[in-house]
Amino acid sequence: MTRHENEVVDAFIDLRSPYSYLALRPARALAERTGVPFEWWPVITDFRSAYGGEVEQRAPRDVAKLKYLYMDCRRLAKLQGLTIRATTKLWDAALASQAMLFARSRNRLWEFCDPLLAAFWRREFDLESPEQIEVALVSAGLQAGDWHEYLKVDAQRDLAAAFERAELLGIFGAPMFVYRDELFWGGDRLDLLADVLSAEQCARTSCVLDVCG
């Protein structure tokens, strides 16, 4: 890795993951507080194997696990003033993930993702709808024509590159944060990441003071 890459946190989120949604606000606050840039990537995790397949295939234990997941997420969402309702299917997030990369490339990532995810977790947004995704991009200040061109030329390549990066870094779930090859899985590990970033800030400050002194 280059020096620049070592100073960036790679942040991987699955747009269908409630825990990814809940981690966004504290992770962005951490980036602002420390001044360490976060580079955001989409990842599509294997929900089917994790939670027993399609809804009608799940064993009672998998159903109980999923019920607990959403109960837990609703409690955490309440602390942030957010709404999370259980989804009714296993969504295909490929198109929305491509749109995320497109918005990121145009510096409109959060203008796109914030309202889309808020609506999705209220069950008011179809994550697989090309029409709704295009409307969300336009509402974020992007051009529909540019999006169509991106779909034809760059979308599949960029999404494949994001997945390759995830594999290279050892990503196996979401949200996951990587800093200097160290992995932090889940929003509840952001405090540990914050400790690492703060320690490095202190070390750099001490180094500057020693040089200046």
Side-chain angles (χ1 to χ4, degrees):
M1 280 192 175
T2 67
R3 179 175 179 273
H4 171 71
E5 287 175 321
N6 273 335
E7 295 173 348
V8 171
V9 174
D10 283 289
F12 291 85
I13 59 170
D14 188 326
L15 295 174
R16 311 159 305 160
S17 160
Y19 287 116
S20 289
Y21 180 46
L22 291 168
L24 292 181
R25 189 177 294 175
R28 288 154 68 185
L30 176 60
E32 183 175 352
R33 187 167 70 250
T34 61
V36 177
F38 279 46
E39 190 162 351
W40 294 89
W41 302 91
V43 66
I44 298 178
T45 50
D46 187 2
F47 282 177
R48 281 176 173 79
S49 63
Y51 295 103
E54 301 293 342
V55 174
E56 63 276 6
Q57 298 173 323
R58 291 171 186 155
R61 181 177 180 276
D62 293 313
V63 172
K65 182 165 63 172
L66 201 58
K67 284 183 177 178
Y68 175 82
L69 179 152
Y70 280 109
M71 179 187 70
D72 189 41
C73 287
R74 283 193 294 270
R75 291 185 298 201
L76 295 172
K78 187 176 181 180
L79 297 176
Q80 295 190 42
L82 300 174
T83 297
I84 286 182
R85 297 194 174 102
T87 58
T88 57
K89 59 179 282 188
L90 290 173
W91 296 87
D92 181 349
L95 183 63
S97 296
Q98 291 171 342
M100 173 183 165
L101 289 169
F102 171 69
R104 192 190 75 172
S105 72
R106 269 58 173 185
N107 296 315
R108 306 296 291 176
L109 176 61
W110 302 119
E111 290 83 356
F112 168 68
C113 282
D114 283 344
L116 179 152
L117 289 172
F120 175 69
W121 289 109
R122 294 192 304 264
R123 292 191 190 167
E124 297 171 359
F125 191 93
D126 183 343
L127 204 63
E128 298 174 2
S129 167
E131 294 79 15
Q132 289 191 31
I133 288 173
E134 182 175 320
V135 168
L137 288 167
V138 171
S139 297
L142 297 161
Q143 298 297 317
D146 292 343
W147 165 236
H148 295 161
E149 184 66 18
Y150 179 83
L151 277 177
K152 288 190 292 185
V153 177
D154 297 323
Q156 291 187 4
R157 180 202 65 194
D158 288 355
L159 189 59
F163 293 166
E164 287 173 11
R165 185 165 186 81
E167 185 174 355
L168 175 67
L169 293 173
I171 302 304
F172 55 83
M176 190 169 284
F177 307 90
V178 186
Y179 184 69
R180 296 186 184 274
D181 298 323
E182 186 173 357
L183 276 63
F184 302 83
W185 182 26
D188 57 347
R189 294 299 183 267
L190 282 170
D191 287 345
L192 298 179
L193 175 58
D195 289 343
V196 170
L197 297 180
S198 296
E200 291 208 357
Q201 278 187 323
C202 290
R204 285 195 295 269
T205 301
S206 297
C207 181
V208 170
L209 290 174
D210 288 344
V211 170
C212 292

